Amino acid sequence: MRRPVIAANWKMHKTVEEAQSFVSEFRRLVSPGADVEVVLAPPFTALQAVGQALAGTAIGLAGQDLFWEERGAYTGEVSAGMLQDVGCRYVIIGHSERRQHFGEGDATVNRKVQAALRHGLTPIVCVGESLDQREAGQTLAVIRAQVDGGLQGLQPDAVQGLIIAYEPVWAIGTGRTATPEQAQEVHAAIRGLLGERWSKSAAEAVRIQYGGSVRPDNIDELMARPDIDGALVGGASLKPDDFARIVQFKRKA
């Protein structure tokens, strides 16, 4: 059985002090057990402080991005080794905001995934369609292209250790959320594609998160779907009590 993974993507929010305050309050509210994996992805400036604040807990630390080179003249970039050095075990790759604002495509995503894996980081690989693409009936074709391109060249054992986050672009930060049925349809399609391209065992092992206006009031319905293995949470992860409720989602029979 796949272990659910709930990740908080703080994006460009929180100073070091604010991040430390969040962790202090969140730890008071939640003590993650073996039944759910919890990950925090603060901005780069707060990674070390948050990592120290999480010491002794089961909560994982993630970078929000990385560069594929080991080192060099790449002003403003952060390598996989640097993330590992401050305690990261995960890294978000290919978020729609990286694709939209910084022109990242599937080839770039693939290079970053390869770099993360070389350093033992677990990539959280994001895929998702725009509203125009969904309305044109192109959702599954877009997802297929992103999965194929982003994971190109990986072996099945590498694929099964990934986390994939399906985040419909039209639902990110808009308050609109894919219905549990819409999300389940895409998650099942992703799992089917992984089985075709790599192996059925890899497809069954990989965890697929939903991301896109995840809130305390919709997490239970989302997590009740068989192919939804967690959530990549944006705005609702900025408040300790909201994120605590999401992490403590109620399992439905």
Side-chain angles (χ1 to χ4, degrees):
M1 185 173 179
R2 295 180 297 269
R3 184 186 182 198
V5 54
I6 309 289
N9 178 16
W10 290 350
K11 308 186 182 184
M12 200 171 71
H13 294 282
K14 296 194 183 298
T15 63
V16 170
E17 183 178 356
E18 290 168 343
Q20 291 171 317
S21 176
F22 176 99
V23 174
S24 177
E25 178 65 11
F26 183 69
R27 288 186 61 179
R28 188 183 66 80
L29 296 169
V30 174
S31 180
D35 58 337
V36 63
E37 197 168 331
V38 180
V39 180
L40 300 183
F44 288 135
T45 52
L47 275 174
Q48 187 165 20
V50 170
Q52 291 171 345
L54 294 177
T57 77
I59 302 170
L61 186 68
Q64 294 182 16
D65 186 34
L66 83 168
F67 192 58
W68 57 79
E69 294 290 351
E70 298 289 320
R71 62 186 59 82
Y74 305 104
T75 300
E77 293 296 339
V78 174
S79 71
M82 291 173 178
L83 293 180
Q84 190 180 51
D85 187 50
V86 295
C88 289
R89 303 203 312 266
Y90 311 79
V91 60
I92 300 169
I93 298 175
H95 192 281
S96 64
E97 290 156 4
R98 298 295 310 175
R99 296 177 189 260
Q100 176 185 355
H101 298 302
F102 303 101
E104 294 189 5
D106 298 328
T108 296
V109 169
N110 183 253
R111 295 179 78 175
K112 292 184 175 187
V113 169
Q114 301 271 9
L117 292 172
R118 285 196 301 271
H119 283 268
L121 296 173
T122 297
I124 300 174
V125 185
C126 302
V127 298
E129 83 284 7
S130 68
L131 182 59
D132 287 345
Q133 289 166 335
R134 171 164 280 275
E135 291 181 341
Q138 299 171 344
T139 294
L140 298 185
V142 169
I143 299 301
R144 181 177 291 265
Q146 290 175 342
V147 171
D148 280 341
L151 307 187
Q152 184 176 7
L154 299 188
Q155 296 301 310
D157 60 341
V159 170
Q160 73 180 24
L162 300 172
I163 297 169
I164 295 178
Y166 167 56
E167 39 154 35
V169 179
W170 48 272
I172 297 172
T174 63
R176 298 179 60 176
T177 308
T179 65
E181 293 76 18
Q182 289 172 322
Q184 167 59 26
E185 178 188 18
V186 178
H187 281 231
I190 292 171
R191 204 174 302 284
L193 173 60
L194 296 174
E196 293 171 14
R197 293 287 194 268
W198 285 273
S199 70
K200 289 186 177 179
S201 61
E204 285 303 312
V206 74
R207 291 175 294 176
I208 308 174
Q209 297 176 311
Y210 171 76
S213 296
V214 176
R215 303 181 303 273
D217 64 2
N218 62 21
I219 185 64
D220 297 344
E221 289 295 334
L222 288 165
M223 291 301 296
R225 286 353 191 230
D227 287 295
I228 299 179
D229 305 313
L232 181 59
V233 188
S237 74
L238 297 174
K239 296 181 179 180
D241 52 347
D242 284 351
F243 190 56
R245 171 61 181 87
I246 290 170
V247 166
Q248 296 169 315
F249 64 90
K250 293 179 171 56
R251 297 180 185 274
K252 293 181 178 292

